[in-house]
Amino acid sequence: MTRQGRYRNWLAAAVAAVLLAGLTVVSLPSADPVVSAEPAPALDPNGRPAPPDAAVEPSVELGRSRISSVTDLLRRRADAVQNRDLPAFMSTLDPLADPKFVATQQAMFANLRGVPLREWRYRIDSTDSLSELDALFGERPPDELWAPRVELSYAFDGVDRAATSRPMGYLFARRGNDWFLTSDTALNDRGRKTWRGPWDFGHCRVDKTEFGMVLSHGGNQALANRVAGELDAAIRAVSEVWGQQWTQRVAVMLPETTAELQAMVGTEFAVDAIAAVAVADRVDHDSDIVEGARVVFNPRTASRLSASSLRVVLRHEITHIAARSDTVDGAPMWLLEGFADYVGYRDSGISPREAAPDLARQLRNSGPPLALPTDADFRAGGSRLDVAYQTAWTTMLYLSQRYGEAKVVELYRRLAGVGRVPDGVVDGVLRDVLDTDRAEIIRGWGQFLRKTFG
């Protein structure tokens, strides 16, 4: 297999990553740094908000005190992170906690040094807490344990328009009158796992550019330098096609191990086969806010990309980031991936023969494709997957030459925003935007392929 063919396989393995985001509506944070924990409402014994002047039973008052104490604990923890105050940070940890936990927390704090944080805060949901926790401690048990649901919200300064939230499997312990964080792994078997950020895997180096940042570790600096050198040009290249109505700010993550890569993109990917993935946590289509948009590279494979292939991969993934707020889950994959490849290969100097060798071979053996690739083709493996990408890209290349680049962008915005719909609806959009039908597009595309590869 050629180098370009291997590149296509790496990229193809990651096609769905940008579509995994949910549709949770989020609110914009304030412009000032946020370093607080949000309190939960006081509740009566039945879980309802307690009237302010009502007589409070001792158990209810104890619950209020617990909520207030842990909220304050998390506020102090967040403030310590933002202010780089190690003694204050360590004071939030249980003095009798597992020494390994304490050591990893101290290492995480040190690893955050240099990471530009605009926001770091915690939120607890006291109405969703776990019970029967006493069995988690053997020797020297605390006076009380509490496991409410906890989320960390963070945002990179200069990149993120809105903070993104991740679950934290925190277990809190009371010793005397004081509450502490005592573990972030004890609840794993209860379904409360702690999200791990890059700072949990090693010291973070940040290379800032005019329009973004590259976050890496000590072992992948060569790749970090290459990506940082391409990032601003890639963002400009995407904006030339897509327009400037997106943040035009991108965070690129360079994990150093497979475990870190899976923490960034999820365990569903065959991470040894991918070069890069575009991910997002949540999307509010009404306000065009995308939370947690990141381009994540796999150093084990990306480091072997040539300069031109790295440029294509980066622009491809940034296209997904730019278009994410206009893209609804279920939109046709031939449109999403074909358009991202179109932007990626645009002005790259890579010829169609180099970029689409599998399609060229099929053209010689059996003629041009008789249909656009299906979503199932993009979930396949081997040459079928390669051909799906190459047919999608050449379709967009043909449409841009036949109808103009502006029409291709308009087609993307129209089709990507309708999600999973019958072919008849897709055909209707094709007629509205291009004033033609699917059959005519496939016929003209086939002629384009014969001329291009002939």
Side-chain angles (χ1 to χ4, degrees):
M1 183 179 295
T2 66
R3 176 180 299 177
Q4 188 63 35
R6 287 197 299 272
Y7 153 65
R8 293 308 315 159
N9 278 336
W10 293 340
L11 185 57
V15 296
V18 77
L19 304 179
L20 297 178
L23 302 178
T24 303
V25 176
V26 298
S27 59
L28 276 171
S30 65
D32 296 326
V34 178
V35 291
S36 65
E38 297 180 7
L43 304 175
D44 67 16
N46 296 316
R48 297 186 296 267
D53 297 326
V56 181
E57 297 182 5
S59 61
V60 176
E61 186 61 42
L62 180 62
R64 287 182 178 178
S65 175
R66 178 175 58 192
I67 293 170
S68 175
S69 296
V70 173
T71 297
D72 180 67
L73 167 75
L74 291 175
R75 183 181 294 113
R76 287 186 286 112
R77 179 180 170 89
D79 189 61
V81 169
Q82 191 73 35
N83 293 327
R84 317 300 185 186
D85 187 341
L86 178 59
F89 180 82
M90 298 302 291
S91 72
T92 66
L93 303 180
D94 183 0
L96 298 180
D98 185 335
K100 292 182 179 179
F101 169 67
V102 176
T104 58
Q105 287 289 294
Q106 185 170 357
M108 182 206 76
F109 184 91
N111 294 338
L112 274 165
R113 182 179 301 169
V115 177
L117 295 173
R118 182 175 59 81
E119 180 172 326
W120 185 281
R121 63 176 173 173
Y122 300 93
R123 179 183 181 276
I124 60 173
D125 182 357
S126 61
T127 67
D128 186 6
S129 59
L130 300 179
S131 59
E132 300 180 2
L133 302 173
D134 291 341
L136 296 175
F137 271 81
E139 299 180 359
R140 307 175 76 178
D143 298 305
E144 185 181 357
L145 289 170
W146 193 36
R149 186 174 295 278
V150 179
E151 284 191 346
L152 164 68
S153 294
Y154 80 96
F156 291 136
D157 189 33
V159 174
D160 291 330
R161 181 182 173 193
T164 185
S165 299
R166 294 301 188 104
M168 310 300 285
Y170 282 175
L171 177 63
F172 302 96
R174 180 175 62 83
R175 298 190 184 276
N177 295 324
D178 298 320
W179 281 91
F180 303 96
L181 174 61
T182 192
S183 177
D184 67 354
T185 58
L187 304 178
N188 285 353
D189 293 338
R190 303 286 297 275
R192 293 276 178 89
K193 292 186 177 182
T194 295
W195 171 75
R196 302 298 178 186
W199 33 86
D200 290 295
F201 295 90
H203 173 73
C204 296
R205 167 178 162 170
V206 174
D207 291 291
K208 293 185 179 180
T209 70
E210 184 179 357
F211 300 116
M213 57 176 273
V214 179
L215 193 153
S216 62
H217 303 296
N220 48 24
Q221 285 311 296
L223 179 59
N225 293 338
R226 294 177 63 198
V227 174
E230 291 284 349
L231 183 56
D232 288 343
I235 293 172
R236 292 190 189 97
V238 171
S239 295
E240 285 180 4
V241 180
W242 184 249
Q244 298 183 0
Q245 63 278 21
W246 63 292
T247 64
Q248 299 186 84
R249 296 293 186 272
V250 176
V252 180
M253 321 297 284
L254 300 184
E256 203 169 59
T257 65
T258 297
E260 183 180 359
L261 178 61
Q262 289 180 324
M264 298 294 102
V265 306
T267 58
E268 65 273 17
F269 294 101
V271 293
D272 288 338
I274 66 173
V277 187
V279 296
D281 295 330
R282 298 176 183 87
V283 181
D284 179 357
H285 294 283
D286 292 333
S287 61
D288 293 335
I289 294 176
V290 181
E291 290 186 18
R294 309 281 184 257
V295 174
V296 185
F297 272 84
N298 180 358
R300 296 182 60 183
T301 51
S303 60
R304 300 198 297 267
L305 292 173
S306 66
S308 58
S309 293
L310 176 64
R311 190 172 300 121
V312 171
V313 171
L314 188 58
R315 296 181 184 198
H316 176 111
E317 301 303 342
I318 291 175
T319 300
H320 283 313
I321 297 293
R324 187 61 186 94
S325 64
D326 289 86
T327 303
V328 177
D329 293 354
M333 295 297 293
W334 64 264
L335 175 80
L336 307 186
E337 297 306 322
F339 181 73
D341 259 1
Y342 169 77
V343 179
Y345 281 113
R346 183 177 179 265
D347 298 329
S348 68
I350 299 176
S351 70
R353 284 185 177 276
E354 293 175 299
D358 300 274
L359 179 59
R361 188 178 305 111
Q362 176 178 308
L363 189 65
R364 290 193 302 269
N365 295 336
S366 56
L370 301 178
L372 297 170
T374 66
D375 287 2
D377 292 328
F378 287 95
R379 292 190 291 268
S383 62
R384 180 182 173 189
L385 181 59
D386 291 336
V387 170
Y389 264 93
Q390 294 164 21
T391 54
W393 169 57
T394 54
T395 300
M396 290 297 172
L397 186 61
Y398 161 68
L399 292 178
S400 70
Q401 294 186 15
R402 173 67 177 80
Y403 299 96
E405 190 172 84
K407 285 293 184 181
V408 171
V409 174
E410 181 183 354
L411 179 66
Y412 184 98
R413 292 185 185 279
R414 289 283 302 277
L415 274 184
V418 298
R420 186 174 289 106
V421 293
D423 286 346
V425 175
V426 175
D427 292 341
V429 175
L430 291 173
R431 284 191 294 270
D432 288 346
V433 176
L434 304 178
D435 195 24
T436 190
D437 57 23
R438 186 189 300 251
E440 178 60 24
I441 288 174
I442 293 174
R443 185 191 66 78
W445 170 46
Q447 293 177 347
F448 167 79
L449 292 179
R450 288 191 179 93
K451 180 179 179 181
T452 301
F453 294 96

